[in-house]
Amino acid sequence: MKAMELPFDTLALDLDGTLLGRDDNVSARNAAAVRAARAAGMEVILATGRWFELAAWVGEGLGLGGPAITCSGAQVRRLREGTDLQDIRLPAAFAAAVYAICDGTRSITWAAGDAGAALRMEGDGTGSLPPGMYRVPTLAGEGPRAPRAILVQGTDTCERILAALSEPWADEVRFDWSLSGAGKRLLTLTGALADKGRALRVACDAIGTVPARVLAFGDSDNDIELFRAAGASVAMGHAAAHLKEMATVLAPEGEPDGVALVIERLLATGRLA
């Protein structure tokens, strides 16, 4: 029997709130669907707001080795070889200003540099941390000088950052909102030229395809440019209304294995809807 010809040759998968569940792990069904897509000849690109080491850990569990988009598009790096295809940094002066605000407030902040992500938060620090993350008592002096991305959780802290820094740094920095795997709203800060859409084009060049052949999955504002660049897109059921309006199809609301449901249908029928 002739193999079914699929309309896409690549999947681009956001992690938090998309491929990862609330426990920060890939469910058995989502993992099986990704492996089935690979077995059908599809490439898989992880496209996350998180740091490379976390993406590499997820990729290893799924048997992936190609390029991954991390830090909301600031970095594109090959999972297997660990070589950078793109590396965009935040200005050091901007990072220092953010660190000063975060160190003086109750917030959870991480900054991704050359070796994982520095985490500053209140508490005793007895809980386990995701791969590549390490705790620091303060970001000033101990966080990466020119990070690829900074993520901040804490309404008051985010409002202070936006009020003090969004206007003077508008030409050099992107201020985006994203969601954690637990559904917490995060302020994502990256260089102005860092977005998942540009990064997708870099990753596609590396694997010999084009964005029009990519099906993208996401749930947050930092997936907007990814959706615009990809040939088609899937918004998770909990995504904001404006992202859902952009998407080609929607994953079922309240379904933790929404990624798997879409992939399973695509492989079985060759269609999304």
Side-chain angles (χ1 to χ4, degrees), residues 122-256:
E122 305 293 333
D124 58 13
T126 56
S128 61
L129 296 176
M133 178 172 274
Y134 58 95
R135 289 182 68 111
V136 295
T138 61
L139 288 164
E142 298 186 63
R145 180 175 178 274
R148 296 182 177 99
I150 301 174
L151 267 75
V152 184
Q153 178 183 321
T155 301
D156 179 65
T157 304
C158 292
E159 289 177 352
R160 292 190 190 190
I161 291 170
L162 291 171
L165 303 177
S166 62
E167 184 174 344
W169 289 96
D171 293 337
E172 298 181 62
V173 175
R174 290 181 63 93
F175 297 78
D176 286 328
W177 291 101
S178 61
L179 293 174
S180 71
K184 300 292 186 180
R185 202 162 183 240
L186 309 172
L187 180 62
T188 304
L189 309 169
T190 56
L193 296 179
D195 67 62
K196 290 186 180 181
R198 286 190 177 94
L200 180 65
R201 288 185 275 273
V202 173
C204 284
D205 285 345
I207 61 176
T209 190
V210 294
R213 295 278 290 161
V214 175
L215 175 62
F217 293 70
D219 71 328
S220 299
D221 281 6
N222 66 349
D223 296 311
I224 288 175
E225 298 303 328
L226 179 67
F227 279 21
R228 286 175 174 159
S233 55
V234 181
M236 296 296 100
H238 59 268
H242 61 273
L243 195 70
K244 289 182 177 179
E245 290 173 1
M246 292 183 62
T248 309
V249 298
L250 305 181
E253 192 162 354
E255 173 54 67

Side-chain angles (χ1 to χ4, degrees), residues 3-4 26 34 47 67 72 75 101 112 124 138 144 153 218 230 240-241 257 267 271 273:
M4 182 186 306
V26 183
V34 171
S72 290
Q75 184 180 36
I101 294 173
D124 58 13
T138 61
Q153 178 183 321
D257 294 326
L267 296 180
R271 300 172 57 196

